[in-house]
Amino acid sequence: MTSEANSVQAIPCRYPSDAMRVSRSADGTRHYFRAEGSSNEEYSYQKPFILELEITRRCNLQCIHCYALATDELLPDELTFAQIQQVLHDGAAIGIRELSLTGGEVFLHPEFLAIVDAGLSLGYALRFVTNATLLTDELLVELCRRPIKLITVSLDGVSSEAHERIRGAGSHAAVLSNIVRLKEAGFCLSIITAFSRLNITEFDALLAFCIAHGFNWQVQLTSAKGRCDEEITLSPAEYYALGEKVAAAYTDRLPIRIIPMDDLATFSHFWPLSRLAETWQGRCTGGLLNIFVRADGQVTPCSALCLAECVVGNIRHDSLISICTEERCRQVLSWLNPQQLTGACATCPFVNECNGGCPEILLTMCRSRSENDYCYHRIEQQRILNEVF
């Protein structure tokens, strides 16, 4: 490490929390506001909270669960820097103030820092997701010169065996080393883990690692899309067991935040599992609190819904402004309502709060989009029936 990289420190950043305050009008309509501060700025399909921007699908790893089908080759139709700038301008014009850069691997974009600068110049609070294997001394120095809100690092296991089973040989030592370097430089870091049968036994070790280093931890499922084979995804019973572990950590008095994603926020009759439902916003907020622009220009309600049937346009011929003004994300998710649910979901006591749950799980993991097999309540009811009969 160069002497400059050894001594450089990140610019101290203080940005408002991402926590949301949800209120209901007399007709039951939900309204979303940032919880921190006194601002009454409302987020909606016409003005989402955060712009997720996939700046490249090129990656130095070939993770077996990759939803993006990332490879080490550049996509022939990736957005140009000028087109990315236009997306950023459109997002700022709408009123989006949060920007998350994703890949692929963001460090592989030749103009990564220029994209960061473009976002910062437009007033975005900026964060990015990385596998953290390609951090150089030079890049670390440059990042420290910029006010980065958050760096989220993908880590699938504390053991090299678990992590490299998913991400490939040699990836584990690099990510652990660079996590330490980023922490020592003073960046705000969080860890993100997607659980499958390949790393479910790593939960306790990952939790201990995050606590020891003071990292908030985002936890989610690996779903059967992209390069992911359904055989490695969790069964409903395994999902329930994961939920119990997440809930126990979520309700414990830990010095870090446990951040369950929407695929883990189904309803339960039992404590502490029942507490995870409080992280559910009352409906899918794809397109409302998130909007996702892919490296080829396609737009979907969020990165989890990067599915062909969820595409609402392409910024090469549809501006982000028109996509949001026309509320296309609301329209593409209009099938998410209690009236269209069937089976156990249709008769569920939580139906009006849940609306079927996370649409990504309904579309990629369930037998039908109208009945959620990955639901704590459903699993609990089935267990009772199995005991009786």
Side-chain angles (χ1 to χ4, degrees), residues 264-382:
L264 287 167
T266 57
F267 287 74
S268 168
H269 292 281
F270 300 101
W271 192 92
L273 195 52
S274 58
R275 289 288 305 279
L276 293 188
E278 71 187 35
T279 68
W280 179 244
Q281 302 285 357
R283 58 173 166 169
C284 171
T285 53
L288 191 158
L289 297 184
N290 304 70
I291 193 162
F292 184 44
V293 179
R294 304 213 67 184
D296 60 2
Q298 288 188 343
V299 181
T300 66
C302 75
S303 55
L305 289 172
C306 57
L307 305 165
E309 65 187 279
C310 297
V311 173
V312 295
N314 190 303
I315 63 94
R316 284 192 164 93
H317 47 75
D318 301 297
S319 74
L320 189 64
I321 294 174
S322 64
I323 288 171
C324 291
T325 301
E326 296 165 12
E327 297 193 347
R328 296 190 198 176
C329 290
R330 182 199 295 270
Q331 296 164 26
V332 82
L333 295 174
S334 62
W335 55 274
L336 277 171
N337 64 74
Q339 290 71 39
Q340 296 193 32
L341 296 175
T342 60
C345 285
T347 58
C348 176
F350 304 113
V351 63
N352 291 317
E353 292 297 320
C354 174
N355 292 318
C358 178
E360 179 208 10
I361 299 305
L362 290 168
L363 293 172
T364 66
M365 299 286 285
C366 298
R367 292 166 292 177
S368 166
R369 68 167 60 188
S370 63
E371 188 173 9
N372 195 339
D373 298 309
Y374 287 76
C375 164
Y376 306 131
H377 166 73
R378 176 194 172 94
I379 296 166
E380 290 161 359
Q381 294 300 102
Q382 190 59 54

